[in-house]
Amino acid sequence: MTDDDVMSPSSGRKRAGVHRAAVTRMLRATGLAHAPEEAPLVELVKSLAVEMDEAPSASTSSRYRAALADVRRVLDRAARPASPPAAGPLPQPDAAGEKSAPVSSLQAFKDARGIGAG
């Protein structure tokens, strides 16, 4: 740990960029940075992290915490096993007489494309 990693006793402020760096680490570690369907949330969190680093305020802090809670909900939802499909009509054969393939889960999609892989 360096002196830059802790609060400065004289200024009471953390080193510049800590929120942005923390958000970047979290997005990379979870693979959320590579999930196109979550791009708006990712950009919001990154923007709020920059605001927290440059000019923190109570309002920015509140919005930042709310955005991080949304990220946690997205990650929790993605970690849950997919629920079985609701009972409904069976897949109809296509013109060639073959049944269409079932829709895959988000995790299968990510696994197939190497998204979120360490």
Side-chain angles (χ1 to χ4, degrees):
M1 181 184 287
T2 67
D3 290 338
D4 290 337
D5 292 333
V6 296
M7 276 190 168
S8 166
S10 60
S11 70
R13 296 192 56 173
K14 289 185 178 182
R15 68 181 169 94
V18 293
H19 292 282
R20 175 60 189 212
V23 164
T24 299
R25 283 192 312 272
M26 180 266 304
L27 292 172
R28 286 180 182 161
T30 61
L32 202 56
H34 304 291
E37 67 277 12
E38 299 302 338
L41 179 59
V42 167
E43 290 306 316
L44 174 64
V45 171
K46 288 161 75 174
S47 174
L48 290 169
V50 169
E51 282 186 51
M52 286 296 294
D53 287 333
E54 293 176 355
S57 68
S59 172
T60 301
S61 178
S62 178
R63 292 180 306 169
Y64 183 55
R65 286 193 315 265
L68 290 174
D70 288 344
V71 167
R72 283 188 217 95
R73 277 192 287 275
V74 167
L75 295 173
D76 287 345
R77 188 175 54 234
R80 275 189 243 133
S83 58
L90 296 173
Q92 297 298 316
D94 62 11
E98 297 179 13
K99 291 184 180 180
S100 57
V103 176
S104 63
S105 71
L106 175 60
Q107 189 59 46
F109 173 83
K110 288 181 177 181
D111 291 344
R113 287 164 180 74
I115 298 173

